[in-house]
């Protein structure tokens, strides 16, 4: 498995942790706009963090 793929997997795991936290926090807030913002933020990070991990891991650990 390449370093880039490992970086993407690590980014995905971090994003899944954040999404779990956001969903739990969204259940506790009162305002619908805040819930929507937390949901959108989690979805954006589910996309951005694996892509960032794909490019950052080889830059840090080499190819």
């Amino acid at each position: 498995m390449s370093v880039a793929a490992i970086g993407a997997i690590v980014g995905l795991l971090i994003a899944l942790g954040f999404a779990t936290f956001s969903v739990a926090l969204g259940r506790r807030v009162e305002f619908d706009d805040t819930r929507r913002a937390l949901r959108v933020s989690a979805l954006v990070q589910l996309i951005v963090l694996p892509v960032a991990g794909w490019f950052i891991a080889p830059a840090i650990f080499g190819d």
Side-chain angles (χ1 to χ4, degrees), residues 7-28:
I9 291 170
V10 170
L12 180 63
L13 290 174
I14 292 170
L16 286 173
F18 178 77
T20 303
F21 175 75
S22 292
V23 168
L25 184 61
R27 290 183 184 142
R28 298 185 60 127

Side-chain angles (χ1 to χ4, degrees), residues 4-47:
I6 293 171
I9 291 170
V10 170
L12 180 63
L13 290 174
I14 292 170
L16 286 173
F18 178 77
T20 303
F21 175 75
S22 292
V23 168
L25 184 61
R27 290 183 184 142
R28 298 185 60 127
V29 297
E30 298 176 13
F31 303 113
D32 290 333
D33 290 339
T34 305
R35 287 187 187 132
R36 188 176 308 119
L38 286 169
R39 193 176 318 124
V40 169
S41 173
L43 289 174
V44 167
Q45 288 199 11
L46 281 172
I47 295 167

